[in-house]
Amino acid sequence: MFKTRLSKILAAIFIFSTIMGPGPGLYLIMPEGDESPASVFGIPILYAWVVLWFFVQAGVILVAYFKLWSKQENSSE
């Protein structure tokens, strides 16, 4: 039960982050007509936005690896 609920939550987060990375998230951080791009820690905000969602996806993969994928499944020999 725990694994199926966690897998659904992780799948939803992963799909959401895939959509938000390059898609509508662009318009949330850079409104149309904004001539000067903002920056975060010297990085253009668009790149920082994409990197944020990349780390979200990487976190989902790591949680799935350590919590959902058992070691018995990996050793098929």
Side-chain angles (χ1 to χ4, degrees), residues 58-69:
V60 166
I61 292 170
L62 287 174
V63 169
Y65 177 76
F66 287 113
K67 297 287 183 180
L68 296 178
W69 301 332

Side-chain angles (χ1 to χ4, degrees), residues 11-30 45-57:
I13 293 171
F14 195 86
I15 291 169
F16 182 74
S17 66
T18 300
I19 292 169
M20 288 302 289
L26 170 67
Y27 298 110
L28 290 173
I29 60 169
M30 292 182 63
I45 197 161
L46 181 60
Y47 295 144
W49 181 260
V50 172
V51 168
L52 166 78
W53 290 110
F54 168 78
F55 282 123
V56 169
Q57 290 178 342

